[in-house]
Amino acid sequence: MINLNEGFSPKPPHAIFQDGQVIIHRTYEYRGVVVEADSSCQAPDAWYLSNQTQPDREQPWYHVLVDGTHETTYAAQSNLKPDLSGDPVVHPMLNLFFSGIVEESNRYLRNDLPWNPGQPPEAPPPLPPDEPPPSAPPKI
């Protein structure tokens, strides 16, 4: 007799969304761009239990820059669908993680800056104090 409870763990599904792909959340309808994927939910139990939808942890989860905001989110694959609108994503960290876009597919090109969900970079480092910003008029 075969006992499936011993030593068997189902293989999590593979990620269907790729870095740079634009997505829409099925429930909350926000758009965003995938920065990185995890093969399963890596969030702490307290965060997961506070999540209103609580989708299965054993599926790919994605770190997403949310369009039109300063927010990032962590979403389960089952809650996402591809965005086919072709509209660009606007987010202040977009240029930190992406080096361009393939306009035909509306897919952003991921650079090699690591994603650290505990400490995502907020903005590029400020200019040294003695250098004016590029758009500022020169000092006389």
Side-chain angles (χ1 to χ4, degrees):
M1 178 182 217
I2 298 174
N3 186 348
L4 293 179
N5 291 331
E6 292 179 21
F8 176 78
S9 56
K11 184 177 178 182
H14 73 283
I16 60 171
F17 301 109
Q18 304 299 314
D19 294 353
Q21 189 169 355
V22 181
I23 54 81
I24 297 175
H25 193 281
R26 292 178 187 275
T27 303
Y28 302 121
E29 298 182 355
Y30 62 76
R31 295 176 65 247
V33 62
V34 173
V35 179
E36 189 166 287
D38 293 330
S39 60
S40 61
C41 182
Q42 301 299 304
D45 288 340
W47 179 90
Y48 178 76
L49 294 173
S50 71
N51 186 321
Q52 292 179 8
T53 59
Q54 292 188 354
D56 183 11
R57 290 185 76 131
E58 297 304 316
Q59 65 177 311
W61 284 65
Y62 301 88
H63 299 276
V64 177
L65 303 181
V66 180
D67 180 41
T69 73
H70 288 82
E71 303 293 321
T72 62
T73 190
Y74 193 48
Q77 180 166 284
S78 61
N79 285 339
L80 303 176
K81 62 183 179 181
D83 173 50
L84 305 176
S85 71
D87 294 335
V89 171
V90 177
H91 192 282
M93 291 193 292
L94 192 70
N95 290 335
L96 292 173
F97 296 106
F98 300 97
S99 58
I101 186 170
V102 178
E103 291 184 14
E104 298 80 35
S105 61
N106 196 33
R107 177 137 180 219
Y108 291 84
L109 302 172
R110 182 74 162 91
N111 62 26
D112 59 358
L113 183 67
W115 173 260
N116 180 347
Q119 296 180 327
E122 295 297 329
L127 292 171
D130 56 4
E131 293 182 30
S135 61
K139 292 181 181 177
I140 300 179

